[in-house]
Structures are given as structure tokens and as C-alpha cells.
Amino acid sequence: WIHTFHAIEKLRVKKLSNEEKQFEDLISWIEHTVNYCDGAIFVSNDLLKEGEKTYKLKSKMIISNGVDLQLFDYSPITNKNVLFIGRFSKDKGIDILPKLIPPIMSVKDATFTAVCPYGAVDGELKEIRESIQKMQDKYGKRLKIIDKPQNQQVLKELYKNCQVYIQPSKYESFGFCILEAMATGRPVVAFKVGGIPEVIGDSGFALTNREGFIYKVKELLENRDGCVSMGKKSNKRAKNFDWNLIAQKTIKYYEEVKK
């Protein structure tokens, strides 16, 4: 039994809204069982460090997630758009959007697109959704909220149609969408949490506070040439995460554990 960790759930749950924490006890019980696995894969060095504090594992290895470079390939920047993709959840930073949208809208001709699937929400999340809805009413077509999951072909087009990709997560062990945006040739602005700095490297911006985050997004929107330059670095770095390379590492580790 080889268990792949994409998160340490008992740490992630701390970043959720009160309504999202209702399964906290069940999550802790399920995650406790991984102490019995034969091997463990962690998708980032940061996640491994947290895992070593939490579990007693027989064997462990860092193998990152990967990206399909044939699907998510380089595309020139054509639109002055900011893109966010993530669950409608506080751990994904959904609560920063009401504070981020107005500064983006203050940039001439800038637009904002968010893919944040959600169902019936209550409490904190409902208040956030209502706040975003008011902004939709105010800014019209410049602010597009997609509330249902999208397939990879649609996501590919969304990456191509943005100038800056943002990931305001409070907890992120790796960052699939960050990597897909990088492969498309887009600069990424994210918070310096979890495995994000390991993914971005020097080809994006990992910030420590909300003010710096908002400033950097605006700065990039007003500097298309800078976005193109950083986007090329992002695309080059993304090639280190080719799924073919990741698959080879994974097979090799399975074979080692099997022996």
C-alpha cells in the first residue's frame, strides 16, 4: 500500500470556514490509518516535513505532481485578464476576492475571471458569495464568475485568455492550477504557503501579505511586457514537471517498495 499525500488534512481543515469543518473528526480518523501504509509519496518537500511531524512511516519519497505539456502549451498573451481557479472555500482564499476585485477593476480595461464551483452555502461562505454577487452587478461583463466545474479543454482556453494567474490559497501542498498556468506561459501571483514556492521558483511571485499580493497583481496588469518575460520563464520551469518524468519516478518508487 503506497499512499500519496496531496495534503495533511488536519492542517488544511484549520483554514476552512466553520461550516466546512463539520467532518473534521472523520478526516482525522481516516488520515490516522495511513500510519500502516508500506510507502508514502509527498508532492512537495514542505508537505514531507509536515508529514514527518505527524506520521510514523516505513518509507517516504518526494514526487511532485505533473502537467500535461501537450494540452497546456505556451500561448501568447492577448487579453488583460486576471484568472483564479479553485473551490469556493476559505482554504483556497475565496475570502480575498471581494478585497481584490475592486483594485483589479481600477486598472483600465482589466477584467477578472474566477472558476470557483460551489453549491448551497451558508454562514461565512454565503456572505462572501453575496459580496461577490454585488460586485458582479456593479462591474457587469468585466467580472465573470463560473460556478460549475470545467473540463480541461475549457480550462486551457481560460489560461490562454488571461494575463496573470492568481492563487490566494491559505493552504496549498502543491498547486495544480499554478503549474498549468505556468505551462501556458503566465506569471503567477500566490501566497507563500506550503509547496507553492517550490512550484513557482523564480518564475512567479510568492507573497506574504494581502497588500503585497494586490499590488503585484495590479503592477503586472499594467506591464504586459513584464508578464510576457516572466511567462516565458514560467513555461520553461513547467517543463521540469512533465507528467512523463513524474510517472517514471513514481513507477521506480513503487518497484523499490515492492522489493
Side-chain angles (χ1 to χ4, degrees):
W1 168 20
I2 296 179
H3 184 86
T4 299
F5 284 88
H6 293 280
I8 304 295
E9 289 297 329
K10 69 182 192 177
L11 299 179
R12 187 182 72 86
V13 76
K14 295 177 181 178
K15 306 297 183 181
L16 302 178
S17 66
N18 292 331
E19 292 73 32
E20 294 174 289
K21 292 179 181 178
Q22 59 181 313
F23 298 111
E24 185 173 0
D25 291 341
L26 178 60
I27 287 170
S28 297
W29 175 79
I30 292 172
E31 201 161 80
H32 176 74
T33 65
V34 301
N35 282 305
Y36 304 101
C37 68
D38 300 298
I41 294 174
F42 292 85
V43 295
S44 66
N45 186 60
D46 179 83
L47 191 64
L48 172 62
K49 290 178 180 178
E50 294 296 340
E52 289 177 327
K53 295 176 187 176
T54 309
Y55 306 106
K56 295 179 181 179
L57 301 166
K58 299 175 186 176
S59 173
K60 46 194 176 293
M61 174 69 71
I62 300 171
I63 303 177
S64 67
N65 288 315
V67 62
D68 184 343
L69 295 175
Q70 291 186 317
L71 178 62
F72 299 103
D73 55 348
Y74 183 82
S75 177
I77 294 174
T78 57
N79 295 314
K80 203 173 186 178
N81 177 253
V82 176
L83 175 65
F84 163 75
I85 299 174
R87 294 189 311 276
F88 200 88
S89 173
K90 286 187 71 177
D91 69 318
K92 291 296 183 182
I94 196 71
D95 52 319
I96 196 179
L97 294 194
K99 302 174 181 66
L100 179 62
I101 291 169
I104 291 175
M105 295 294 103
S106 72
V107 178
K108 184 180 179 181
D109 299 326
T111 59
F112 184 85
T113 302
V115 182
C116 43
Y118 71 99
V121 294
D122 296 306
E124 294 176 79
L125 294 181
K126 184 178 180 182
E127 292 177 9
I128 294 167
R129 183 66 188 93
E130 290 173 348
S131 177
I132 293 174
Q133 181 60 56
K134 289 179 181 178
M135 292 182 184
Q136 281 184 274
D137 297 338
K138 178 178 180 179
Y139 297 115
K141 294 182 179 180
R142 293 181 65 196
L143 175 58
K144 185 176 182 180
I145 307 296
I146 302 172
D147 59 12
K148 291 181 174 56
Q150 303 297 307
N151 64 42
Q152 286 192 312
Q153 288 294 337
V154 173
L155 294 179
K156 174 182 178 178
E157 294 304 313
L158 290 172
Y159 289 124
K160 287 171 61 176
N161 288 327
C162 81
Q163 181 167 320
V164 182
Y165 180 79
I166 65 168
Q167 195 73 58
S169 302
K170 298 181 177 68
Y171 181 91
E172 197 74 64
S173 62
F174 183 80
F176 264 119
C177 295
I178 288 174
L179 191 52
E180 291 169 353
M182 289 171 58
T184 311
R186 299 301 181 266
V188 174
V189 180
F191 281 125
K192 192 176 182 180
V193 297
I196 288 177
E198 298 175 50
V199 179
I200 291 177
D202 63 351
S203 59
F205 304 92
L207 289 307
T208 58
N209 60 75
R210 188 175 70 199
E211 291 72 23
F213 189 103
I214 293 172
Y215 177 84
K216 181 55 67 175
V217 173
K218 287 187 65 179
E219 182 182 56
L220 287 170
L221 279 174
E222 295 169 339
N223 182 8
R224 183 180 177 278
D225 290 342
C227 288
V228 171
S229 177
M230 184 59 74
K232 289 180 179 178
K233 289 181 67 175
S234 297
N235 171 262
K236 183 178 179 180
R237 181 170 176 79
K239 292 176 182 177
N240 295 324
F241 298 89
D242 184 344
W243 264 130
N244 292 315
L245 299 174
I246 303 306
Q248 291 171 20
K249 292 179 182 179
T250 304
I251 291 170
K252 183 178 178 181
Y253 181 59
Y254 267 65
E255 289 173 342
E256 290 174 0
V257 174
K258 186 178 178 181
K259 293 177 183 178

PDB file of all heavy atoms in Angstrom, residues 167-191:
ATOM      1  N   GLN A 167      -3.304  32.696  -7.213  1.00  0.00           N
ATOM      2  CA  GLN A 167      -3.663  31.586  -6.320  1.00  0.00           C
ATOM      3  C   GLN A 167      -3.520  32.089  -4.880  1.00  0.00           C
ATOM      4  O   GLN A 167      -2.466  31.957  -4.263  1.00  0.00           O
ATOM      5  CB  GLN A 167      -2.754  30.385  -6.556  1.00  0.00           C
ATOM      6  CG  GLN A 167      -3.277  29.093  -5.955  1.00  0.00           C
ATOM      7  CD  GLN A 167      -4.451  28.557  -6.744  1.00  0.00           C
ATOM      8  OE1 GLN A 167      -4.341  28.298  -7.933  1.00  0.00           O
ATOM      9  NE2 GLN A 167      -5.591  28.378  -6.099  1.00  0.00           N
ATOM     10  N   PRO A 168      -4.594  32.662  -4.322  1.00  0.00           N
ATOM     11  CA  PRO A 168      -4.522  33.243  -2.980  1.00  0.00           C
ATOM     12  C   PRO A 168      -4.776  32.230  -1.856  1.00  0.00           C
ATOM     13  O   PRO A 168      -5.310  32.572  -0.798  1.00  0.00           O
ATOM     14  CB  PRO A 168      -5.630  34.300  -3.020  1.00  0.00           C
ATOM     15  CG  PRO A 168      -6.653  33.715  -3.940  1.00  0.00           C
ATOM     16  CD  PRO A 168      -5.881  32.946  -4.990  1.00  0.00           C
ATOM     17  N   SER A 169      -4.381  30.978  -2.076  1.00  0.00           N
ATOM     18  CA  SER A 169      -4.652  29.914  -1.102  1.00  0.00           C
ATOM     19  C   SER A 169      -3.970  30.169   0.233  1.00  0.00           C
ATOM     20  O   SER A 169      -2.835  30.650   0.298  1.00  0.00           O
ATOM     21  CB  SER A 169      -4.178  28.565  -1.652  1.00  0.00           C
ATOM     22  OG  SER A 169      -4.791  28.260  -2.873  1.00  0.00           O
ATOM     23  N   LYS A 170      -4.660  29.766   1.301  1.00  0.00           N
ATOM     24  CA  LYS A 170      -4.077  29.788   2.644  1.00  0.00           C
ATOM     25  C   LYS A 170      -3.391  28.460   2.949  1.00  0.00           C
ATOM     26  O   LYS A 170      -2.537  28.378   3.829  1.00  0.00           O
ATOM     27  CB  LYS A 170      -5.165  30.053   3.683  1.00  0.00           C
ATOM     28  CG  LYS A 170      -5.861  31.403   3.544  1.00  0.00           C
ATOM     29  CD  LYS A 170      -6.897  31.561   4.652  1.00  0.00           C
ATOM     30  CE  LYS A 170      -7.563  32.932   4.570  1.00  0.00           C
ATOM     31  NZ  LYS A 170      -8.415  33.071   3.375  1.00  0.00           N
ATOM     32  N   TYR A 171      -3.797  27.412   2.243  1.00  0.00           N
ATOM     33  CA  TYR A 171      -3.170  26.098   2.364  1.00  0.00           C
ATOM     34  C   TYR A 171      -3.070  25.511   0.963  1.00  0.00           C
ATOM     35  O   TYR A 171      -4.058  25.441   0.243  1.00  0.00           O
ATOM     36  CB  TYR A 171      -3.993  25.161   3.265  1.00  0.00           C
ATOM     37  CG  TYR A 171      -3.345  23.791   3.414  1.00  0.00           C
ATOM     38  CD1 TYR A 171      -2.466  23.547   4.453  1.00  0.00           C
ATOM     39  CD2 TYR A 171      -3.595  22.779   2.498  1.00  0.00           C
ATOM     40  CE1 TYR A 171      -1.841  22.305   4.582  1.00  0.00           C
ATOM     41  CE2 TYR A 171      -2.979  21.540   2.613  1.00  0.00           C
ATOM     42  CZ  TYR A 171      -2.107  21.313   3.665  1.00  0.00           C
ATOM     43  OH  TYR A 171      -1.481  20.089   3.782  1.00  0.00           O
ATOM     44  N   GLU A 172      -1.880  25.089   0.585  1.00  0.00           N
ATOM     45  CA  GLU A 172      -1.688  24.509  -0.740  1.00  0.00           C
ATOM     46  C   GLU A 172      -0.429  23.650  -0.690  1.00  0.00           C
ATOM     47  O   GLU A 172       0.677  24.162  -0.567  1.00  0.00           O
ATOM     48  CB  GLU A 172      -1.525  25.612  -1.784  1.00  0.00           C
ATOM     49  CG  GLU A 172      -1.722  25.161  -3.211  1.00  0.00           C
ATOM     50  CD  GLU A 172      -3.190  24.909  -3.546  1.00  0.00           C
ATOM     51  OE1 GLU A 172      -3.984  25.850  -3.524  1.00  0.00           O
ATOM     52  OE2 GLU A 172      -3.505  23.731  -3.835  1.00  0.00           O
ATOM     53  N   SER A 173      -0.596  22.347  -0.784  1.00  0.00           N
ATOM     54  CA  SER A 173       0.559  21.461  -0.706  1.00  0.00           C
ATOM     55  C   SER A 173       1.378  21.489  -1.996  1.00  0.00           C
ATOM     56  O   SER A 173       2.580  21.214  -1.994  1.00  0.00           O
ATOM     57  CB  SER A 173       0.107  20.029  -0.432  1.00  0.00           C
ATOM     58  OG  SER A 173      -0.704  19.546  -1.501  1.00  0.00           O
ATOM     59  N   PHE A 174       0.730  21.832  -3.120  1.00  0.00           N
ATOM     60  CA  PHE A 174       1.435  21.874  -4.400  1.00  0.00           C
ATOM     61  C   PHE A 174       0.885  22.989  -5.284  1.00  0.00           C
ATOM     62  O   PHE A 174       1.472  24.039  -5.376  1.00  0.00           O
ATOM     63  CB  PHE A 174       1.319  20.520  -5.105  1.00  0.00           C
ATOM     64  CG  PHE A 174       2.080  20.450  -6.385  1.00  0.00           C
ATOM     65  CD1 PHE A 174       3.444  20.227  -6.382  1.00  0.00           C
ATOM     66  CD2 PHE A 174       1.440  20.618  -7.614  1.00  0.00           C
ATOM     67  CE1 PHE A 174       4.166  20.186  -7.568  1.00  0.00           C
ATOM     68  CE2 PHE A 174       2.145  20.568  -8.809  1.00  0.00           C
ATOM     69  CZ  PHE A 174       3.518  20.353  -8.778  1.00  0.00           C
ATOM     70  N   GLY A 175      -0.225  22.753  -5.952  1.00  0.00           N
ATOM     71  CA  GLY A 175      -0.815  23.766  -6.813  1.00  0.00           C
ATOM     72  C   GLY A 175      -0.889  23.355  -8.276  1.00  0.00           C
ATOM     73  O   GLY A 175      -0.116  23.804  -9.104  1.00  0.00           O
ATOM     74  N   PHE A 176      -1.845  22.466  -8.598  1.00  0.00           N
ATOM     75  CA  PHE A 176      -2.034  22.000  -9.974  1.00  0.00           C
ATOM     76  C   PHE A 176      -2.274  23.169 -10.936  1.00  0.00           C
ATOM     77  O   PHE A 176      -1.650  23.264 -11.991  1.00  0.00           O
ATOM     78  CB  PHE A 176      -3.249  21.066 -10.051  1.00  0.00           C
ATOM     79  CG  PHE A 176      -2.906  19.615  -9.971  1.00  0.00           C
ATOM     80  CD1 PHE A 176      -3.404  18.834  -8.940  1.00  0.00           C
ATOM     81  CD2 PHE A 176      -2.111  19.011 -10.924  1.00  0.00           C
ATOM     82  CE1 PHE A 176      -3.104  17.489  -8.864  1.00  0.00           C
ATOM     83  CE2 PHE A 176      -1.799  17.659 -10.863  1.00  0.00           C
ATOM     84  CZ  PHE A 176      -2.303  16.895  -9.823  1.00  0.00           C
ATOM     85  N   CYS A 177      -3.190  24.052 -10.559  1.00  0.00           N
ATOM     86  CA  CYS A 177      -3.572  25.140 -11.462  1.00  0.00           C
ATOM     87  C   CYS A 177      -2.416  26.108 -11.689  1.00  0.00           C
ATOM     88  O   CYS A 177      -2.266  26.665 -12.783  1.00  0.00           O
ATOM     89  CB  CYS A 177      -4.788  25.876 -10.897  1.00  0.00           C
ATOM     90  SG  CYS A 177      -6.276  24.854 -10.830  1.00  0.00           S
ATOM     91  N   ILE A 178      -1.603  26.297 -10.659  1.00  0.00           N
ATOM     92  CA  ILE A 178      -0.414  27.136 -10.804  1.00  0.00           C
ATOM     93  C   ILE A 178       0.464  26.582 -11.917  1.00  0.00           C
ATOM     94  O   ILE A 178       0.932  27.313 -12.794  1.00  0.00           O
ATOM     95  CB  ILE A 178       0.369  27.189  -9.480  1.00  0.00           C
ATOM     96  CG1 ILE A 178      -0.382  28.035  -8.451  1.00  0.00           C
ATOM     97  CG2 ILE A 178       1.774  27.746  -9.692  1.00  0.00           C
ATOM     98  CD1 ILE A 178       0.248  28.033  -7.073  1.00  0.00           C
ATOM     99  N   LEU A 179       0.683  25.281 -11.884  1.00  0.00           N
ATOM    100  CA  LEU A 179       1.553  24.637 -12.861  1.00  0.00           C
ATOM    101  C   LEU A 179       0.969  24.704 -14.265  1.00  0.00           C
ATOM    102  O   LEU A 179       1.694  24.929 -15.254  1.00  0.00           O
ATOM    103  CB  LEU A 179       1.796  23.180 -12.445  1.00  0.00           C
ATOM    104  CG  LEU A 179       2.885  22.408 -13.185  1.00  0.00           C
ATOM    105  CD1 LEU A 179       4.196  23.170 -13.195  1.00  0.00           C
ATOM    106  CD2 LEU A 179       3.063  21.038 -12.552  1.00  0.00           C
ATOM    107  N   GLU A 180      -0.336  24.527 -14.385  1.00  0.00           N
ATOM    108  CA  GLU A 180      -0.979  24.609 -15.701  1.00  0.00           C
ATOM    109  C   GLU A 180      -0.873  26.019 -16.271  1.00  0.00           C
ATOM    110  O   GLU A 180      -0.623  26.199 -17.470  1.00  0.00           O
ATOM    111  CB  GLU A 180      -2.438  24.170 -15.583  1.00  0.00           C
ATOM    112  CG  GLU A 180      -2.586  22.682 -15.292  1.00  0.00           C
ATOM    113  CD  GLU A 180      -3.993  22.259 -14.903  1.00  0.00           C
ATOM    114  OE1 GLU A 180      -4.857  23.148 -14.716  1.00  0.00           O
ATOM    115  OE2 GLU A 180      -4.245  21.048 -14.790  1.00  0.00           O
ATOM    116  N   ALA A 181      -1.046  27.023 -15.408  1.00  0.00           N
ATOM    117  CA  ALA A 181      -0.906  28.409 -15.854  1.00  0.00           C
ATOM    118  C   ALA A 181       0.527  28.701 -16.284  1.00  0.00           C
ATOM    119  O   ALA A 181       0.771  29.372 -17.298  1.00  0.00           O
ATOM    120  CB  ALA A 181      -1.324  29.362 -14.731  1.00  0.00           C
ATOM    121  N   MET A 182       1.501  28.181 -15.528  1.00  0.00           N
ATOM    122  CA  MET A 182       2.909  28.362 -15.877  1.00  0.00           C
ATOM    123  C   MET A 182       3.222  27.731 -17.229  1.00  0.00           C
ATOM    124  O   MET A 182       3.926  28.318 -18.058  1.00  0.00           O
ATOM    125  CB  MET A 182       3.791  27.763 -14.785  1.00  0.00           C
ATOM    126  CG  MET A 182       3.797  28.554 -13.491  1.00  0.00           C
ATOM    127  SD  MET A 182       4.629  27.683 -12.131  1.00  0.00           S
ATOM    128  CE  MET A 182       6.275  27.415 -12.811  1.00  0.00           C
ATOM    129  N   ALA A 183       2.706  26.529 -17.455  1.00  0.00           N
ATOM    130  CA  ALA A 183       2.947  25.844 -18.723  1.00  0.00           C
ATOM    131  C   ALA A 183       2.387  26.640 -19.897  1.00  0.00           C
ATOM    132  O   ALA A 183       2.946  26.634 -21.002  1.00  0.00           O
ATOM    133  CB  ALA A 183       2.322  24.450 -18.693  1.00  0.00           C
ATOM    134  N   THR A 184       1.290  27.357 -19.654  1.00  0.00           N
ATOM    135  CA  THR A 184       0.671  28.178 -20.688  1.00  0.00           C
ATOM    136  C   THR A 184       1.462  29.460 -20.931  1.00  0.00           C
ATOM    137  O   THR A 184       1.235  30.161 -21.913  1.00  0.00           O
ATOM    138  CB  THR A 184      -0.787  28.505 -20.297  1.00  0.00           C
ATOM    139  OG1 THR A 184      -1.457  27.298 -19.906  1.00  0.00           O
ATOM    140  CG2 THR A 184      -1.560  29.118 -21.455  1.00  0.00           C
ATOM    141  N   GLY A 185       2.399  29.766 -20.019  1.00  0.00           N
ATOM    142  CA  GLY A 185       3.233  30.953 -20.171  1.00  0.00           C
ATOM    143  C   GLY A 185       2.672  32.166 -19.463  1.00  0.00           C
ATOM    144  O   GLY A 185       2.736  33.296 -19.969  1.00  0.00           O
ATOM    145  N   ARG A 186       2.136  31.941 -18.254  1.00  0.00           N
ATOM    146  CA  ARG A 186       1.558  33.044 -17.495  1.00  0.00           C
ATOM    147  C   ARG A 186       2.282  33.248 -16.170  1.00  0.00           C
ATOM    148  O   ARG A 186       2.603  32.287 -15.471  1.00  0.00           O
ATOM    149  CB  ARG A 186       0.068  32.782 -17.218  1.00  0.00           C
ATOM    150  CG  ARG A 186      -0.784  32.662 -18.471  1.00  0.00           C
ATOM    151  CD  ARG A 186      -0.707  33.936 -19.327  1.00  0.00           C
ATOM    152  NE  ARG A 186      -1.528  33.859 -20.526  1.00  0.00           N
ATOM    153  CZ  ARG A 186      -1.090  33.472 -21.712  1.00  0.00           C
ATOM    154  NH1 ARG A 186       0.165  33.070 -21.859  1.00  0.00           N
ATOM    155  NH2 ARG A 186      -1.892  33.479 -22.766  1.00  0.00           N
ATOM    156  N   PRO A 187       2.537  34.511 -15.796  1.00  0.00           N
ATOM    157  CA  PRO A 187       3.103  34.772 -14.483  1.00  0.00           C
ATOM    158  C   PRO A 187       2.067  34.445 -13.412  1.00  0.00           C
ATOM    159  O   PRO A 187       0.864  34.652 -13.622  1.00  0.00           O
ATOM    160  CB  PRO A 187       3.407  36.277 -14.511  1.00  0.00           C
ATOM    161  CG  PRO A 187       2.446  36.834 -15.517  1.00  0.00           C
ATOM    162  CD  PRO A 187       2.263  35.752 -16.552  1.00  0.00           C
ATOM    163  N   VAL A 188       2.521  33.935 -12.292  1.00  0.00           N
ATOM    164  CA  VAL A 188       1.628  33.542 -11.201  1.00  0.00           C
ATOM    165  C   VAL A 188       1.899  34.420  -9.980  1.00  0.00           C
ATOM    166  O   VAL A 188       3.049  34.668  -9.624  1.00  0.00           O
ATOM    167  CB  VAL A 188       1.837  32.062 -10.823  1.00  0.00           C
ATOM    168  CG1 VAL A 188       1.014  31.698  -9.585  1.00  0.00           C
ATOM    169  CG2 VAL A 188       1.468  31.156 -11.992  1.00  0.00           C
ATOM    170  N   VAL A 189       0.824  34.885  -9.363  1.00  0.00           N
ATOM    171  CA  VAL A 189       0.912  35.595  -8.087  1.00  0.00           C
ATOM    172  C   VAL A 189       0.186  34.741  -7.059  1.00  0.00           C
ATOM    173  O   VAL A 189      -0.986  34.402  -7.245  1.00  0.00           O
ATOM    174  CB  VAL A 189       0.275  36.995  -8.154  1.00  0.00           C
ATOM    175  CG1 VAL A 189       0.382  37.689  -6.797  1.00  0.00           C
ATOM    176  CG2 VAL A 189       0.950  37.834  -9.230  1.00  0.00           C
ATOM    177  N   ALA A 190       0.883  34.357  -5.994  1.00  0.00           N
ATOM    178  CA  ALA A 190       0.309  33.470  -4.985  1.00  0.00           C
ATOM    179  C   ALA A 190       0.836  33.855  -3.613  1.00  0.00           C
ATOM    180  O   ALA A 190       1.752  34.682  -3.485  1.00  0.00           O
ATOM    181  CB  ALA A 190       0.667  32.019  -5.299  1.00  0.00           C
ATOM    182  N   PHE A 191       0.264  33.249  -2.596  1.00  0.00           N
ATOM    183  CA  PHE A 191       0.786  33.432  -1.246  1.00  0.00           C
ATOM    184  C   PHE A 191       1.895  32.414  -0.992  1.00  0.00           C
ATOM    185  O   PHE A 191       1.882  31.306  -1.536  1.00  0.00           O
ATOM    186  CB  PHE A 191      -0.320  33.290  -0.206  1.00  0.00           C
ATOM    187  CG  PHE A 191      -1.181  34.520  -0.077  1.00  0.00           C
ATOM    188  CD1 PHE A 191      -2.554  34.440  -0.223  1.00  0.00           C
ATOM    189  CD2 PHE A 191      -0.614  35.748   0.181  1.00  0.00           C
ATOM    190  CE1 PHE A 191      -3.352  35.571  -0.112  1.00  0.00           C
ATOM    191  CE2 PHE A 191      -1.392  36.894   0.295  1.00  0.00           C
ATOM    192  CZ  PHE A 191      -2.761  36.808   0.151  1.00  0.00           C
TER     193      PHE A 191
END
